[in-house]
Amino acid sequence: MAEKAPGGVQSVERVFELLELITDAGGDVTLSELSSSTDLPLPTIHRLLRTLVTLGYIRQLPNRRYALGPRLIRLGEGANKQLGALARPQLKSLVDRLGETANMGVLDSDMVIYVAQVPSLHSMRMFTEVGKRGYMHATGMGKAILAQLDDDTVRGIVGRQGMPTPTPKSIGDIDSLLLELKLIRERGYSIDEEEQEIGVRCFAMAVPNAPTPTAISVSGPVSRVDQSFAERAVPLLREAAQTISDELNQS
């Protein structure tokens, strides 16, 4: 349940609680599932959902389930742009100090979406369009984000999206993924070992205490992004992630 804001308007708090519950459930729920997840009375839930459907922030599907609506897309895109703009100075600093492409991604509809990138100046470099989505289990940032979640939540994400293997090195089963996430939690960062694209290695780290699950990464050709690179990159990633976190949580 969402934390109540002191002095907040109750109806607004309730609306955002419902939106967050639907998001946490993977994007669509039944009325009874919502009712079992909140202390709100059923008539209140139904009334708020009806209003959100009318406004286009929620859709009622043919099977009577409620799903996030299209008007949220524009809000999300605007928020992602602002998040990317806030992080860009830190990403640029990573590129200046490490020489490889730096990225930021967030969890969105069970996938990682790239919201910012500062490219390397090398002619041979990693490039991903801002707005592109990737599978969580097959990307460095995706795995860094998954490692912040509990195993049941990870199973839910994978169950809804599946585990395709973009390369022969991609993780293809949930047990292997959970073991990988345990390792990521222990060492504090993730590695994409040519799992998204052959010839590309990526080091990624979650942004602590971000309002939405967020990660940053540096990536490039395996010939340059090696163990020596990791020894320089990990402390800089940690520093950048903490700075972004501090800026996101300024009161």
Side-chain angles (χ1 to χ4, degrees), residues 129-208:
E129 290 183 7
V130 171
K132 180 182 176 181
R133 295 173 182 272
Y135 286 95
M136 301 292 289
H137 69 283
T139 60
M141 289 194 296
K143 290 191 295 182
I145 290 171
L146 288 179
Q148 305 299 301
L149 310 176
D150 62 73
D151 286 354
D152 286 342
T153 301
V154 172
R155 288 190 183 94
I157 290 172
V158 169
R160 290 185 292 269
Q161 286 293 341
M163 295 187 71
T165 51
T167 80
K169 297 191 176 185
S170 306
I171 298 173
D173 66 272
I174 184 62
D175 290 337
S176 297
L177 176 62
L178 293 177
L179 285 174
E180 173 80 358
L181 297 181
K182 183 175 183 293
L183 176 60
I184 292 169
R185 293 179 189 117
E186 291 171 353
R187 70 186 176 202
Y189 61 93
S190 68
I191 309 173
D192 169 358
E193 288 282 8
E194 303 181 80
E195 297 161 55
Q196 180 66 23
E197 183 179 347
I198 291 295
V200 174
R201 182 176 288 127
C202 168
F203 292 90
M205 190 172 294
V207 174

Side-chain angles (χ1 to χ4, degrees), residues 21-33:
L21 286 171
I22 296 172
T23 300
D24 291 342
D28 68 89
V29 293
T30 64
L31 187 60
S32 61
E33 287 169 346

Side-chain angles (χ1 to χ4, degrees), residues 82-91 93 104 207-211 239-251:
Q82 289 301 309
L83 180 59
L86 178 146
R88 188 173 178 83
Q90 293 305 316
L91 299 184
S93 176
M104 170 181 267
V207 174
N209 303 313
E239 178 185 313
Q242 187 59 57
T243 299
I244 292 170
S245 173
D246 292 343
E247 291 178 356
L248 284 171
N249 290 288
Q250 285 179 350
S251 57

Side-chain angles (χ1 to χ4, degrees), residues 82 100 134 223:
Q82 289 301 309
E100 302 298 342
S223 59

Side-chain angles (χ1 to χ4, degrees), residues 80 83-85 87-88 91 102-105 113-118 130:
N80 284 341
L83 180 59
R88 188 173 178 83
L91 299 184
N103 312 279
M104 170 181 267
I113 181 171
Y114 289 75
V115 298
Q117 180 177 93
V118 177
V130 171

Side-chain angles (χ1 to χ4, degrees), residues 7 36 42 45 55 87 96 116 134 162 165 171 190 202 208 220:
S36 66
L42 189 60
I45 296 173
L55 294 173
D96 291 344
T165 51
I171 298 173
S190 68
C202 168

